[in-house]
Structure formats: C-alpha cells, structure tokens
Amino acid sequence: MIAPRVRLAALVLALALAGTGAATSQEHAGHQMGVDSTGVGWRMPPQPRPSPMMLPGLMGTFPDLTAFLPGADLDPTTLPDAVFREIVEMSDGDTLRLEAGFVRRTIGNRTFTMYGFNGQYPGPMIRVPQRSEIVVLFTNHIDLPTAVHWHGLRLDNQYDGVPGVTQDPVEPGESFLYRVRFPDAGLYWYHPHHREDIQQDLGLYGNMLVDSPDPDYLGPVNAEDFLMLDDLLIDDAGLFPYGREGAVQTLMGRFGNQLLVNGEPRWEVTLPRGEVRRLYLTNVANSRTFNLVLKGAELKLVGADVSKFERERVVENVVLAPAQRYIVDVRFGTPGTYALTNSIQAIDHFRGEFYSSVDTLGLVTVLETPGAIDYSAEFATLRENTDVIEDIDRFRSEFGRPVDRELELTVRAGALPSSMVAVMALDTLYFPPVEWNDAMPMMNYLATSKNLTWILRDTQTGLENRDIEWKFTEGDVVKLRIHNQRRSFHPMQHPMHFHGQRFLVIEMDGIPVDNLAWKDTAVIPVGSTFDLLMEASNPGRWMAHCHIAEHLEAGMSMVFTVDPANGEP
Ligand code: C2O
Ligand code: CU
C-alpha cells in the first residue's frame, strides 16, 4: 500500500497539471451544459464528503451527452402516487398484467417523477411454485423503449427480454407477451434490459420467489422479509440527470447518495424476542456493492442466486454486488434495537486514505415478549444440503478440466477531457479491489458511454465485447476463466452475469471454493482471477455482461449460443 502522504503529493501534482491544462468548457462548447428542451441541464454532481480542494481543470467541464430526466415535462400532480409493492401468488398457467409507467414517488419528504411497474415500488413480488410457468402481458407506458428481463431464470430464450439479442425493444405504447418458466427454486428479480442506467434506477425492478415443493427445502422460520437494496442520486435540485444519448458516470457507475430498501430510506420492523427471520436480499443498485451488517444479531447464510449453499454457515456480514441475491436467516435473541447497516471502508481520493462509513438501512425492534413458536434449535443447526451436494457431485470431475474459454476485463479511454486524463493517470495508484463508494464524482460524471469503453476480451481470439460469439452445445460443461486486469487505466470490480444458465464459482485466485452454490452473477475484484464452471443447459442465444448498468452501456457485453443437443436449429 502506498503511504497516504505520497499519494497526496501525487494528487496535488495531478491537480496542478489539471489546472494548467487547456481542457475546460470550451472542449464541449457545443453541448453548452447539455440543456434540453425540458430545461434539464448539467450541474456539478454532489460530493460524498467535503473535499479540501477542488479540481480546477474540471470545473466548467460537462459530459459530452445531453442531460436528461424522464418526465421532466410532465406535471407531477397528474401522476399516480406510487404504492408499496404487493405480493402476487401465482400458479402454473396464470397470467399477470405488468405495466411500466410514470409514478410520483415520495422519498423522505420530497417527491420525484419516477417509473413503476403497476404503479408500485418495488414492482410486484411474484411468488410461484417451482416448475410452473406464467404468462406476463407487458405494456410499456414510459417514454423510452424497453423490454423485461427475468434475471437468473433458465427460461425459454425468446422470452429473455434482451433487445437486439432475443427480441425487438417494446416501444412506448406497445406490448409484449412473455412466457416465464421457473425450473429452479430460489430468489430472482426482473428489470428492464434497455437503458437500465435510467429505467432500473428510476424504480423498474421487482422480485420473484420460486418455492420448492419440498416443505423442508429450507429450515423453518417465523417470518420472511424481502429486501431490495438500492441507491438514488439526489441533490438540492432533485434527481441528478442522466445522459440522453447514452450513459454518464461510466467510470465507476452511478452511485446514489440516498440508500433505499424497497424504495424507502429505511426498513423498520418490530418483532417478539427470539424470532428467526428469513431475509431475501437482492441488490438492484446500478453500481453499488453493499456490505450488510446486522450487529448483535446472529446471521446464517443459507442460499445464493440460483440454489442453496452446500452447507449453511454462520456469517458476520454479507457482501452483495449488483444483481446478486442471498438468502440469510437471522435470529434476534435479546430485546433491543438492531441496526441493519451498510458498513464499508470508503476511499477518499483527495486525502489518499480510507475511512469507515456506516449507513443505516434498517431498524429492527425486538420486544421483551417471546414469540409463540421458538425455532432457536432449528436455527442453531447448520444444515448440510445433500440435494445441492448431490447435484454438484455430477460436475466435480470437471473441476480440474482445462480452461475452455478465457475473458479479460479491462477499459479503454476515448476522447476524455484531457484534464481528467491527467488526474486519472496518477489516480490509478489508489484503487482497492472493490470500490465501495464514488470518491471522484466529478471525473465519474464526465466519463460517458461515448468517451469510455469497458471491455470483455476473449484472450484466445483477441475479440472484444459484441464481436465475441461463443458456441456451446446443450449439455456442455464449460470452464471459464475471468481475469480482472489490475494494470488498466481505471481498474474496478465487475459483477459478471451470464443469462439463461447457472454456474459455480469453483476457484478464486487459485484457491478452491469449499462451499458451493449455483449462481448467475459473480463479482470479480480488481486483480483477481476466478474460475467458473458453467452448465450450458439451456439452448438459445444469450447475453453475458457486467451488471454495473453504466459499464453495460459502455460496451461491456457479449453473446454466447447454446445449440440444442438434438442438433435442431
Ligand atoms: Cu439482470 Cu442482463 O441482466
Ligand atoms: Cu463492470
């Protein structure tokens, strides 16, 4: 680690360079703050904590895209007030009408024009039995084209909801019929797959819970809570604008300064002493990775994206990258108040130091009176899930196979403002394996999908992003090696998601993983190499990408095909 003083000195030098650079607003004079017809313009992004110095070279420089806020021209008083999500229990063959539209949202004591599925925040929670199939009649009432992706499901390829890969975008006013099937028990979610940086951020997301027919699939608990974790970027003028032609904040992704649980600033619950709650956690943020802590409570990690773990395990905290899910059982043994926090080591690039930052996401009040049913004994038992172990046993002989495909994660800068390049060149020294906060919002917002490209590179062919088209056959077991380059212009962790299949993270930096679970999203820290074993079980043409919404917009996606085993097209 570099001594803070040295780093500070380097940064002062960088600032001096930036200050003398010719890069100012003239560079983007044509964009004149990108003001559009609705009067939305660029402004300085909010700072995470007061900085000791400004970046003179960056002042007055604006992103090379038009500032955009959906619904800026609508009268908010004419919009429906969003209501808290409902839980929709569905059976095989049922139909759900799902509409994306504008809503008026109240967060704290401020109101915003946002989006909602069926006027709700989050979208309806769809609860279905395993191996069922439902029909979703989707209608788009927002102002942008869209499509709904059913994240993590091994569903029929044509209903995967990816414009340009599995369907045409659903234009405003149009509809699309999805048939959604649920082969695996677990926790999933749905969200748009077009300009997620805007649409998902403005509230278009919902959970799906697939129940196993086995009543003992998971241990008994007193109650369940579904927590969708998110953040939103707000300043005195309202929601911070997005880019109209593409995404801004593509360097680090869009970090919000208002954390949200199920769309609200705080989750609160009161319960009797000794209760065991099952938390179904989903990270729906554009870029933020959460480190969840529930101090004083006992936590047991039960399940991940697409399956339970082989063995339940007591944990202190849960790290959840965008799109990931975890199922965690929690026991509250003594009366009192427990805080659910996001507890991170934030980095301050100006001071060249880490500082600890704790945000309260929820408060759990535990009463003196004990609950009616006591599941303490069941909670204390760490279950070994033989169903998961036996399922994975079929693949263990493949763990040592040679690597079939290899990806390298990196970034390429285009026409960035030169003042920004000067600062960035030195700033590369400071990057931790995981970025927990946006410590340089000025530079981040100047990076756009136009001037920065995030790259998935196939190291065997040299092909990048959408030039890659891997071919597999149904039934193939594929070993993928993913390396996140440390020596790039701006290294950052990437939550990599593969559509329509399931995989195991079998090795991290050469160390075998000892407690496996099936996943669809794995976060690769800076400098790390992960080996994934993917079961190519579901035919079709699928996308794989980084789930940081702004990285996806900045190019970080590829396509792979799984041909049916019977050889039919
Ligand atoms: Cu959650 Cu390609 O998506
Ligand atoms: Cu990424």
Side-chain angles (χ1 to χ4, degrees), residues 348-391:
D348 183 330
H349 291 278
F350 294 102
R351 295 183 179 84
E353 65 185 21
F354 289 94
Y355 63 100
S356 72
S357 157
V358 177
D359 282 300
T360 301
L361 295 163
L363 284 179
V364 180
T365 307
V366 178
L367 305 173
E368 292 282 347
T369 23
I373 310 173
D374 184 2
Y375 288 122
S376 308
E378 290 87 343
F379 178 81
T381 311
L382 295 179
R383 293 158 63 117
E384 188 169 270
N385 295 311
T386 43
D387 50 346
V388 178
I389 294 171
E390 281 167 15
D391 182 20

Short mmCIF file of all heavy atoms in Angstrom, two decimals, residues 348-391:
data_model
loop_
_atom_site.label_atom_id
_atom_site.label_comp_id
_atom_site.label_asym_id
_atom_site.label_seq_id
_atom_site.Cartn_x
_atom_site.Cartn_y
_atom_site.Cartn_z
N ASP A 348 -11.12 7.93 0.02
CA ASP A 348 -11.13 9.35 -0.25
C ASP A 348 -9.91 9.66 -1.11
O ASP A 348 -8.77 9.67 -0.63
CB ASP A 348 -11.08 10.14 1.05
CG ASP A 348 -11.17 11.64 0.82
OD1 ASP A 348 -10.71 12.11 -0.24
OD2 ASP A 348 -11.68 12.35 1.70
N HIS A 349 -10.14 9.86 -2.40
CA HIS A 349 -9.01 10.06 -3.31
C HIS A 349 -8.31 11.38 -3.08
O HIS A 349 -7.16 11.55 -3.41
CB HIS A 349 -9.47 9.96 -4.77
CG HIS A 349 -9.88 8.58 -5.15
ND1 HIS A 349 -8.99 7.62 -5.52
CD2 HIS A 349 -11.09 7.99 -5.18
CE1 HIS A 349 -9.64 6.49 -5.78
NE2 HIS A 349 -10.91 6.71 -5.57
N PHE A 350 -9.03 12.34 -2.52
CA PHE A 350 -8.40 13.64 -2.28
C PHE A 350 -7.39 13.55 -1.16
O PHE A 350 -6.31 14.09 -1.22
CB PHE A 350 -9.47 14.68 -1.96
CG PHE A 350 -10.37 14.94 -3.13
CD1 PHE A 350 -11.63 14.38 -3.18
CD2 PHE A 350 -9.93 15.70 -4.20
CE1 PHE A 350 -12.45 14.59 -4.26
CE2 PHE A 350 -10.74 15.92 -5.29
CZ PHE A 350 -12.01 15.35 -5.32
N ARG A 351 -7.78 12.81 -0.11
CA ARG A 351 -6.86 12.70 1.02
C ARG A 351 -5.98 11.45 0.89
O ARG A 351 -5.08 11.25 1.69
CB ARG A 351 -7.64 12.63 2.33
CG ARG A 351 -8.42 13.90 2.63
CD ARG A 351 -9.11 13.78 3.98
NE ARG A 351 -9.86 14.98 4.33
CZ ARG A 351 -11.10 15.23 3.91
NH1 ARG A 351 -11.71 14.37 3.12
NH2 ARG A 351 -11.72 16.33 4.25
N GLY A 352 -6.27 10.61 -0.08
CA GLY A 352 -5.48 9.40 -0.25
C GLY A 352 -5.60 8.49 0.95
O GLY A 352 -4.62 7.95 1.45
N GLU A 353 -6.84 8.32 1.47
CA GLU A 353 -6.99 7.49 2.66
C GLU A 353 -8.34 6.78 2.63
O GLU A 353 -9.26 7.17 1.92
CB GLU A 353 -6.90 8.35 3.92
CG GLU A 353 -8.06 9.33 4.03
CD GLU A 353 -7.96 10.30 5.20
OE1 GLU A 353 -6.83 10.48 5.69
OE2 GLU A 353 -8.98 10.86 5.59
N PHE A 354 -8.41 5.73 3.43
CA PHE A 354 -9.68 5.04 3.62
C PHE A 354 -10.33 5.58 4.89
O PHE A 354 -9.64 5.97 5.83
CB PHE A 354 -9.45 3.53 3.78
CG PHE A 354 -9.03 2.86 2.52
CD1 PHE A 354 -7.69 2.66 2.23
CD2 PHE A 354 -9.99 2.43 1.61
CE1 PHE A 354 -7.31 2.04 1.06
CE2 PHE A 354 -9.60 1.79 0.43
CZ PHE A 354 -8.26 1.60 0.16
N TYR A 355 -11.62 5.61 4.92
CA TYR A 355 -12.32 5.96 6.16
C TYR A 355 -13.53 5.06 6.26
O TYR A 355 -14.06 4.60 5.25
CB TYR A 355 -12.72 7.44 6.17
CG TYR A 355 -13.70 7.85 5.09
CD1 TYR A 355 -15.06 7.98 5.37
CD2 TYR A 355 -13.27 8.12 3.79
CE1 TYR A 355 -15.96 8.37 4.39
CE2 TYR A 355 -14.17 8.51 2.80
CZ TYR A 355 -15.51 8.64 3.11
OH TYR A 355 -16.38 9.01 2.14
N SER A 356 -13.96 4.76 7.51
CA SER A 356 -15.08 3.86 7.60
C SER A 356 -16.37 4.66 7.55
O SER A 356 -16.47 5.76 8.07
CB SER A 356 -14.99 2.98 8.84
OG SER A 356 -15.25 3.76 9.95
N SER A 357 -17.32 4.11 6.83
CA SER A 357 -18.57 4.80 6.60
C SER A 357 -19.70 3.81 6.89
O SER A 357 -19.70 2.69 6.39
CB SER A 357 -18.58 5.27 5.14
OG SER A 357 -19.89 5.46 4.69
N VAL A 358 -20.62 4.22 7.74
CA VAL A 358 -21.72 3.34 8.12
C VAL A 358 -23.04 4.03 7.85
O VAL A 358 -23.29 5.12 8.36
CB VAL A 358 -21.63 2.96 9.63
CG1 VAL A 358 -22.81 2.10 10.05
CG2 VAL A 358 -20.32 2.25 9.92
N ASP A 359 -23.86 3.45 7.01
CA ASP A 359 -25.18 3.98 6.73
C ASP A 359 -26.23 3.02 7.26
O ASP A 359 -26.15 1.82 7.02
CB ASP A 359 -25.39 4.15 5.22
CG ASP A 359 -24.71 5.38 4.68
OD1 ASP A 359 -25.06 6.48 5.15
OD2 ASP A 359 -23.82 5.24 3.82
N THR A 360 -27.21 3.56 7.96
CA THR A 360 -28.27 2.70 8.49
C THR A 360 -29.36 2.50 7.44
O THR A 360 -29.91 3.46 6.92
CB THR A 360 -28.86 3.33 9.77
OG1 THR A 360 -27.80 3.47 10.71
CG2 THR A 360 -29.94 2.45 10.37
N LEU A 361 -29.61 1.25 7.13
CA LEU A 361 -30.62 0.90 6.13
C LEU A 361 -31.93 0.45 6.79
O LEU A 361 -32.98 0.49 6.18
CB LEU A 361 -30.12 -0.26 5.27
CG LEU A 361 -28.91 0.00 4.39
CD1 LEU A 361 -28.31 -1.32 3.93
CD2 LEU A 361 -29.32 0.83 3.20
N GLY A 362 -31.80 -0.05 8.02
CA GLY A 362 -32.99 -0.58 8.67
C GLY A 362 -32.84 -0.63 10.17
O GLY A 362 -31.73 -0.58 10.70
N LEU A 363 -34.00 -0.67 10.85
CA LEU A 363 -34.01 -0.79 12.30
C LEU A 363 -34.96 -1.92 12.69
O LEU A 363 -36.12 -1.92 12.28
CB LEU A 363 -34.48 0.51 12.95
CG LEU A 363 -33.48 1.67 12.98
CD1 LEU A 363 -34.12 2.88 13.64
CD2 LEU A 363 -32.19 1.28 13.70
N VAL A 364 -34.46 -2.85 13.47
CA VAL A 364 -35.27 -3.96 13.93
C VAL A 364 -35.46 -3.79 15.44
O VAL A 364 -34.49 -3.74 16.18
CB VAL A 364 -34.58 -5.31 13.63
CG1 VAL A 364 -35.43 -6.48 14.11
CG2 VAL A 364 -34.29 -5.43 12.12
N THR A 365 -36.71 -3.67 15.87
CA THR A 365 -37.00 -3.54 17.30
C THR A 365 -37.47 -4.89 17.82
O THR A 365 -38.45 -5.45 17.32
CB THR A 365 -38.09 -2.47 17.53
OG1 THR A 365 -37.67 -1.27 16.89
CG2 THR A 365 -38.30 -2.22 19.01
N VAL A 366 -36.76 -5.40 18.81
CA VAL A 366 -37.10 -6.71 19.37
C VAL A 366 -37.70 -6.51 20.76
O VAL A 366 -37.09 -5.89 21.63
CB VAL A 366 -35.86 -7.62 19.41
CG1 VAL A 366 -36.20 -8.96 20.04
CG2 VAL A 366 -35.31 -7.81 18.00
N LEU A 367 -38.92 -7.00 20.93
CA LEU A 367 -39.67 -6.81 22.17
C LEU A 367 -39.22 -7.77 23.27
O LEU A 367 -38.53 -8.75 23.00
CB LEU A 367 -41.17 -7.02 21.89
CG LEU A 367 -41.77 -6.16 20.76
CD1 LEU A 367 -43.19 -6.59 20.47
CD2 LEU A 367 -41.71 -4.68 21.12
N GLU A 368 -39.65 -7.49 24.50
CA GLU A 368 -39.35 -8.35 25.65
C GLU A 368 -40.06 -9.70 25.53
O GLU A 368 -39.51 -10.75 25.85
CB GLU A 368 -39.83 -7.69 26.95
CG GLU A 368 -39.06 -6.43 27.35
CD GLU A 368 -37.71 -6.75 27.99
OE1 GLU A 368 -37.48 -7.93 28.34
OE2 GLU A 368 -36.89 -5.82 28.10
N THR A 369 -41.30 -9.63 25.07
CA THR A 369 -42.11 -10.85 24.99
C THR A 369 -41.58 -11.82 23.95
O THR A 369 -41.28 -11.41 22.83
CB THR A 369 -43.56 -10.51 24.58
OG1 THR A 369 -43.54 -9.25 23.91
CG2 THR A 369 -44.52 -10.51 25.75
N PRO A 370 -41.47 -13.09 24.32
CA PRO A 370 -41.01 -14.07 23.35
C PRO A 370 -42.11 -14.40 22.34
O PRO A 370 -43.29 -14.22 22.62
CB PRO A 370 -40.67 -15.29 24.21
CG PRO A 370 -41.44 -15.13 25.46
CD PRO A 370 -41.75 -13.68 25.65
N GLY A 371 -41.71 -14.87 21.17
CA GLY A 371 -42.66 -15.26 20.14
C GLY A 371 -43.38 -16.56 20.50
O GLY A 371 -42.99 -17.27 21.44
N ALA A 372 -44.45 -16.87 19.77
CA ALA A 372 -45.25 -18.06 20.06
C ALA A 372 -44.48 -19.34 19.73
O ALA A 372 -44.53 -20.32 20.47
CB ALA A 372 -46.55 -17.99 19.28
N ILE A 373 -43.77 -19.33 18.63
CA ILE A 373 -43.04 -20.54 18.23
C ILE A 373 -41.55 -20.24 18.27
O ILE A 373 -41.09 -19.23 17.74
CB ILE A 373 -43.44 -20.98 16.80
CG1 ILE A 373 -44.96 -21.05 16.67
CG2 ILE A 373 -42.81 -22.34 16.47
CD1 ILE A 373 -45.46 -21.31 15.26
N ASP A 374 -40.81 -21.13 18.88
CA ASP A 374 -39.36 -20.93 19.04
C ASP A 374 -38.58 -21.85 18.10
O ASP A 374 -38.57 -23.06 18.27
CB ASP A 374 -38.99 -21.22 20.51
CG ASP A 374 -37.52 -20.93 20.78
OD1 ASP A 374 -36.82 -20.48 19.85
OD2 ASP A 374 -37.09 -21.16 21.92
N TYR A 375 -37.93 -21.24 17.10
CA TYR A 375 -37.14 -22.03 16.15
C TYR A 375 -35.64 -21.94 16.43
O TYR A 375 -34.82 -22.19 15.55
CB TYR A 375 -37.42 -21.55 14.71
CG TYR A 375 -38.79 -21.94 14.21
CD1 TYR A 375 -39.69 -20.96 13.77
CD2 TYR A 375 -39.17 -23.28 14.14
CE1 TYR A 375 -40.94 -21.31 13.30
CE2 TYR A 375 -40.43 -23.63 13.67
CZ TYR A 375 -41.31 -22.64 13.25
OH TYR A 375 -42.55 -22.99 12.78
N SER A 376 -35.28 -21.60 17.68
CA SER A 376 -33.85 -21.43 18.01
C SER A 376 -33.04 -22.69 17.72
O SER A 376 -31.93 -22.61 17.20
CB SER A 376 -33.69 -21.08 19.49
OG SER A 376 -34.50 -20.00 19.81
N ALA A 377 -33.60 -23.84 18.08
CA ALA A 377 -32.85 -25.09 17.90
C ALA A 377 -32.61 -25.35 16.41
O ALA A 377 -31.49 -25.68 16.00
CB ALA A 377 -33.62 -26.25 18.52
N GLU A 378 -33.65 -25.15 15.61
CA GLU A 378 -33.51 -25.35 14.16
C GLU A 378 -32.51 -24.35 13.58
O GLU A 378 -31.73 -24.68 12.71
CB GLU A 378 -34.87 -25.18 13.45
CG GLU A 378 -35.86 -26.29 13.74
CD GLU A 378 -36.69 -26.06 14.99
OE1 GLU A 378 -36.29 -25.22 15.84
OE2 GLU A 378 -37.72 -26.74 15.14
N PHE A 379 -32.58 -23.13 14.11
CA PHE A 379 -31.66 -22.10 13.61
C PHE A 379 -30.21 -22.46 13.94
O PHE A 379 -29.31 -22.27 13.13
CB PHE A 379 -32.01 -20.74 14.23
CG PHE A 379 -31.08 -19.63 13.82
CD1 PHE A 379 -31.23 -18.99 12.60
CD2 PHE A 379 -30.02 -19.24 14.64
CE1 PHE A 379 -30.36 -17.98 12.21
CE2 PHE A 379 -29.14 -18.24 14.27
CZ PHE A 379 -29.32 -17.60 13.05
N ALA A 380 -30.01 -23.00 15.15
CA ALA A 380 -28.65 -23.33 15.60
C ALA A 380 -28.06 -24.50 14.81
O ALA A 380 -26.84 -24.67 14.76
CB ALA A 380 -28.66 -23.65 17.09
N THR A 381 -28.91 -25.29 14.19
CA THR A 381 -28.42 -26.42 13.40
C THR A 381 -27.97 -25.93 12.03
O THR A 381 -28.75 -25.34 11.29
CB THR A 381 -29.57 -27.45 13.20
OG1 THR A 381 -30.17 -27.70 14.47
CG2 THR A 381 -29.06 -28.74 12.59
N LEU A 382 -26.71 -26.17 11.72
CA LEU A 382 -26.23 -25.80 10.39
C LEU A 382 -26.50 -26.97 9.45
O LEU A 382 -25.87 -28.02 9.56
CB LEU A 382 -24.74 -25.44 10.43
CG LEU A 382 -24.40 -24.19 11.26
CD1 LEU A 382 -22.90 -23.94 11.27
CD2 LEU A 382 -25.14 -22.96 10.74
N ARG A 383 -27.43 -26.80 8.57
CA ARG A 383 -27.85 -27.90 7.71
C ARG A 383 -26.84 -28.17 6.60
O ARG A 383 -26.25 -27.26 6.04
CB ARG A 383 -29.22 -27.57 7.08
CG ARG A 383 -30.33 -27.52 8.09
CD ARG A 383 -31.51 -26.71 7.63
NE ARG A 383 -32.18 -27.25 6.46
CZ ARG A 383 -33.44 -27.69 6.44
NH1 ARG A 383 -34.18 -27.70 7.53
NH2 ARG A 383 -33.98 -28.12 5.32
N GLU A 384 -26.71 -29.45 6.32
CA GLU A 384 -25.92 -29.85 5.16
C GLU A 384 -26.94 -30.21 4.10
O GLU A 384 -27.80 -31.06 4.33
CB GLU A 384 -25.04 -31.04 5.52
CG GLU A 384 -24.07 -31.37 4.43
CD GLU A 384 -23.01 -32.37 4.89
OE1 GLU A 384 -21.97 -31.95 5.39
OE2 GLU A 384 -23.28 -33.57 4.74
N ASN A 385 -26.89 -29.55 2.96
CA ASN A 385 -27.92 -29.73 1.93
C ASN A 385 -27.51 -30.82 0.95
O ASN A 385 -26.87 -30.55 -0.08
CB ASN A 385 -28.18 -28.40 1.23
CG ASN A 385 -28.77 -27.36 2.17
OD1 ASN A 385 -29.74 -27.65 2.89
ND2 ASN A 385 -28.19 -26.18 2.20
N THR A 386 -27.90 -32.05 1.27
CA THR A 386 -27.46 -33.17 0.43
C THR A 386 -28.01 -33.06 -1.00
O THR A 386 -27.37 -33.52 -1.94
CB THR A 386 -27.89 -34.51 1.05
OG1 THR A 386 -29.22 -34.39 1.51
CG2 THR A 386 -26.98 -34.90 2.20
N ASP A 387 -29.19 -32.42 -1.15
CA ASP A 387 -29.73 -32.26 -2.50
C ASP A 387 -28.78 -31.42 -3.36
O ASP A 387 -28.50 -31.75 -4.52
CB ASP A 387 -31.14 -31.66 -2.46
CG ASP A 387 -31.25 -30.39 -1.60
OD1 ASP A 387 -30.31 -30.12 -0.81
OD2 ASP A 387 -32.25 -29.66 -1.73
N VAL A 388 -28.23 -30.35 -2.76
CA VAL A 388 -27.31 -29.48 -3.51
C VAL A 388 -25.99 -30.23 -3.74
O VAL A 388 -25.44 -30.21 -4.85
CB VAL A 388 -27.05 -28.16 -2.74
CG1 VAL A 388 -26.07 -27.28 -3.49
CG2 VAL A 388 -28.37 -27.43 -2.48
N ILE A 389 -25.51 -30.88 -2.69
CA ILE A 389 -24.23 -31.59 -2.80
C ILE A 389 -24.30 -32.66 -3.90
O ILE A 389 -23.41 -32.76 -4.75
CB ILE A 389 -23.84 -32.22 -1.44
CG1 ILE A 389 -23.56 -31.08 -0.43
CG2 ILE A 389 -22.63 -33.14 -1.58
CD1 ILE A 389 -23.38 -31.54 1.01
N GLU A 390 -25.40 -33.41 -3.92
CA GLU A 390 -25.53 -34.47 -4.93
C GLU A 390 -25.67 -33.90 -6.34
O GLU A 390 -25.14 -34.44 -7.30
CB GLU A 390 -26.74 -35.36 -4.60
CG GLU A 390 -26.40 -36.35 -3.49
CD GLU A 390 -27.62 -37.04 -2.90
OE1 GLU A 390 -28.71 -36.96 -3.53
OE2 GLU A 390 -27.49 -37.65 -1.82
N ASP A 391 -26.37 -32.78 -6.45
CA ASP A 391 -26.50 -32.12 -7.75
C ASP A 391 -25.11 -31.69 -8.26
O ASP A 391 -24.76 -31.93 -9.42
CB ASP A 391 -27.44 -30.91 -7.61
CG ASP A 391 -27.69 -30.19 -8.92
OD1 ASP A 391 -27.47 -30.81 -9.99
OD2 ASP A 391 -28.09 -29.02 -8.89
#
